[in-house]
Amino acid sequence: MQKQSSRLTFAAAGVTVVLWASAFVSIRSAGEAYSPGALALGRLLAGVLVLGTVLLIRREGLPQRAAWPGIVISGLLWFGVYMVVLNWGEQEVDAGTAAMVVNIGPILIALLGARFLKESLPPRLLAGMAVSFAGAVAVGLSMSGGSSGGHASVLGVLLCLLAAAAYAGGVVAQKPALSHGSALQVTTFGCLVGAVACLPFAGQLVEEAARAPLSATLNMVYLGVFPTALAFTTWAYALARTTAGRMGATTYAVPALVVLMAWLFLGELPAPLTLAGGALCLAGVAVSRSRSRSSATSGTAEST
């Protein structure tokens, strides 16, 4: 039973990272027609519509009162601030620089989890995160080279730093809420809080939707249905069953998947440094999710 639960948790985390990686391709397309705030609001509204429908069908209702502080904080920080600021930041810096800076997030998650959630920081987790971060830096440097037209402004870097901090704060706030509400409940109402926070961009969304090409609007809807509604729910399911630090480290697989998807769907042939960085990201995730032989033996003994 424990092994089955562990497999489901790993599968849920896998769905999340694949869909979040695909989001970078869709954001690039939708961002050409939609401003940062309008894109975030449109994405969140699509997500709320899907999540709310599923919530009603499943008749899960409202989460317990104790879950609401975490839902509100994660909704404001992760669904609201993070999405708007990241969209804005990616207009000010190239994708490689954004990837490098935003990937500070998992490190912040581990540190905040240790401070506020009393989570441990095992050596394998720290070592894996160090390897993955080195890989993310390599991917970022390869994508930010002069030959690829990379650019970065101070404002853009600061915006990406703010996005990383909002992401980390949202994850750490969400973790306790999952003890008092289901993954679907916490995700649905967190997404709703984020959408309400982005309502000041409603006017921009209406104006831009009227003249945006269909492909950009479809990409925005895709972002809401899959990388938001589905991926944030599978993330919450997995987060409820492991530590915030370990889940944060798992997202280091995203840069490697972005490289693969850009190759397959955009025809962007990765440079050797990019491939090496992607391999490091995946190797670091494997190390961070591994357990020492003594702890694995202990876990087996406890489950028998």
Side-chain angles (χ1 to χ4, degrees):
M1 183 66 70
Q2 186 178 2
K3 285 186 177 180
Q4 182 178 3
S5 177
S6 180
R7 290 189 188 123
L8 287 174
T9 300
F10 183 77
V15 169
T16 298
V17 297
V18 169
L19 290 178
W20 282 356
S22 74
F24 283 88
V25 178
S26 292
I27 288 174
R28 182 182 305 179
S29 174
E32 295 178 356
Y34 288 97
S35 59
L39 177 57
L41 177 59
R43 174 180 179 175
L44 289 168
L45 289 176
V48 167
L49 180 61
V50 173
L51 289 166
T53 300
V54 175
L55 191 76
L56 289 174
I57 292 174
R58 291 179 58 86
R59 299 181 180 180
E60 290 200 17
L62 297 172
Q64 299 175 27
R65 182 180 299 179
W68 281 100
I71 289 174
V72 171
I73 295 173
S74 65
L76 290 173
L77 291 179
W78 199 6
F79 289 89
V81 174
Y82 171 78
M83 290 193 181
V84 175
V85 170
L86 181 61
N87 291 342
W88 185 8
E90 288 194 5
Q91 292 183 354
E92 298 291 330
V93 301
D94 57 84
T97 300
M100 283 190 292
V101 178
V102 172
N103 271 302
I104 295 173
I107 298 173
L108 295 177
I109 289 172
L111 295 176
L112 290 174
R115 173 65 178 83
F116 295 104
L117 303 178
K118 309 304 180 185
E119 294 181 353
S120 62
L121 292 174
R124 285 175 181 249
L125 174 62
L126 296 176
M129 293 180 77
V131 172
S132 289
F133 185 69
V137 170
V139 171
L141 288 174
S142 67
M143 295 171 64
S144 305
S147 61
S148 61
H151 71 281
S153 68
V154 174
L155 174 61
V157 172
L158 290 176
L159 288 170
C160 290
L161 282 172
L162 178 58
Y167 159 48
V171 170
V172 173
Q174 187 187 62
K175 173 67 173 175
L178 291 166
S179 299
H180 307 284
S182 69
L184 178 60
Q185 289 174 324
V186 172
T187 304
T188 300
F189 291 103
C191 190
L192 179 60
V193 169
V196 170
C198 290
L199 283 178
F201 301 107
Q204 292 180 9
L205 177 60
V206 172
E207 291 178 5
E208 293 168 7
R211 60 176 184 268
L214 179 61
S215 60
T217 301
L218 289 178
N219 271 293
M220 181 174 66
V221 173
Y222 170 83
L223 286 168
V225 175
F226 293 100
T228 302
L230 178 56
F232 273 79
T233 302
T234 52
W235 164 277
Y237 174 88
L239 179 61
R241 291 158 176 79
T242 188
T243 65
R246 192 177 292 273
M247 277 300 293
T250 302
T251 63
Y252 274 121
V254 170
L257 292 174
V258 170
V259 170
L260 177 61
M261 290 179 180
W263 184 9
L264 294 177
F265 299 112
L266 300 178
E268 298 178 354
L269 188 64
L273 180 60
T274 307
L275 292 174
L280 278 176
C281 287
L282 295 177
V285 170
V287 171
S288 67
R289 294 195 66 86
S290 67
R291 294 187 300 173
S292 64
R293 180 170 300 180
S294 59
S295 63
T297 304
S298 174
T300 304
E302 291 174 0
S303 62
T304 56

